Amino acid sequence: MTVPFLDLKAINAQYRDELVAAATRVIDSGWYIQGNEVKVFEEEFADYCGIKHCIGVANGLDALTLTLRAWKEMGKLKEGDEVIVPANTYIASILAITENRLKPVLVEPDEATFNLCPEKTAAAITPNTKAIVAVHLYGQISPMPELMQLADEHGLLVLEDAAQAHGASIEGRKAGSWGHAAGFSFYPGKNLGALGDAGAVTTDDEELSKIIRALGNYGSHKKYENLYQGVNSRLDEIQAAMLRVKLLHLDDEIESRRNVAEYYLAHIDNPKIQLPAVGNRESHVWHLFVVRSTMRDKLQQHLAEQGVQTLIHYPLPPHQQQAYKPFSEISLPLTEEIHRSVLSLPMGPHLTPEQVSQVIEAVNRV
């Protein structure tokens, strides 16, 4: 039996009737851009995150890029300012920084959680540091109380990259409500996934929300009047309708992911495999279940032979990508070791108990 890494068809099949009804509602409405579905989803997702404002955009990268751009328009950032970001993040976190002609400062992560370490973050702050991008990698929320205290002490902006952490929380406060703003992705494979590209920004800052909304609509706050040199980055009506359906089931899916993760943690028993560390149950929504092994490639090959599909998140760190060749001389040994050793096991609400057991048995036999 093959254990799929992720089966979106099976996940969405559970809600097929609801999704078809939502799509039909949009089709029959005759309104396909910036209509009621987007408006209501923004309200529902803001309420879910415990935040005042949600602005739908085209994708997660735009959510980050437009937020930084808006802070520039507000005079809170300027070209050349330094932005601290974990070195082991997905490249989108850094693309948003450089697209705004800001300077990314790559910081080694906490080895256990893969997220920013407050002590290492503090050590990276200079007079030119103006912002922190706190990436909640793999679904585990960053240490936001400590990072926000650090930001307050130094007068820094905090942008949460919450693309993988919908629903994760600390002390009952969800990802997307800690920083001065947060960017979300609703890429189909995310815990809250659309049926295409989609994203959003959450914030309590009303002025920021208005500027982001205008920037994503050609820089226009009013039809045919343009305050900014904006872009076209809007959440589609049809995707908003899909997300409204999926949001209703998000907490149940998170619970399923946590149950799978806890079973993995309790039963994978192989000294050659390093299991992920988790602070507490509410802090991790298990977008990915990432193990580490010095024999990663052999492990992946063995699991494939046993019918277990795996992926590597991510094979190359951003500073070793051709796109950021000038960063190639930076020494980031921990980040490089993480990227050489990580392997993502199957994770999701689609997994049956039999499939989970097959994964565990295959890993333990290595």
Side-chain angles (χ1 to χ4, degrees), residues 95-113:
L95 289 170
I97 298 170
T98 56
E99 176 65 19
N100 281 287
R101 298 184 181 179
L102 302 166
K103 181 181 179 182
V105 176
L106 307 181
V107 175
E108 294 267 54
D110 181 286
E111 187 169 8
T113 66

Side-chain angles (χ1 to χ4, degrees), residues 33-34 38 42 55-67 69 184 197-201 211-220 230-236:
I33 297 290
Q34 293 186 308
V38 170
E42 289 176 339
I55 309 97
V57 296
N59 54 68
L61 174 57
D62 283 0
L64 300 175
T65 304
L66 291 173
T67 302
R69 167 75 188 282
F184 285 89
D197 269 324
V201 178
I211 294 174
I212 292 171
R213 192 176 297 282
L215 285 171
N217 188 36
Y218 300 95
S220 174
V231 298
N232 178 6
S233 180
R234 302 177 298 207
L235 176 61
D236 288 340

Side-chain angles (χ1 to χ4, degrees), residues 315-332:
L316 278 178
H319 73 282
Q320 293 184 334
Q321 299 281 357
Q322 180 65 28
Y324 288 112
K325 192 173 181 180
F327 295 167
S328 62
E329 300 303 318
I330 299 174
S331 177
L332 295 163

Side-chain angles (χ1 to χ4, degrees), residues 1-67:
M1 176 175 65
T2 298
V3 182
F5 177 78
L6 181 65
D7 189 343
L8 291 178
K9 183 176 180 180
I11 291 172
N12 289 326
Q14 304 171 88
Y15 319 123
R16 188 181 187 281
D17 290 346
E18 294 172 76
L19 293 169
V20 169
T24 302
R25 187 170 67 240
V26 174
I27 293 166
D28 291 347
S29 75
W31 194 290
Y32 308 119
I33 297 290
Q34 293 186 308
N36 189 63
E37 296 294 337
V38 170
K39 179 179 181 293
V40 176
F41 171 72
E42 289 176 339
E43 294 170 351
E44 291 171 345
F45 192 65
D47 183 66
Y48 178 82
C49 292
I51 202 81
K52 292 180 181 177
H53 306 285
C54 171
I55 309 97
V57 296
N59 54 68
L61 174 57
D62 283 0
L64 300 175
T65 304
L66 291 173
T67 302

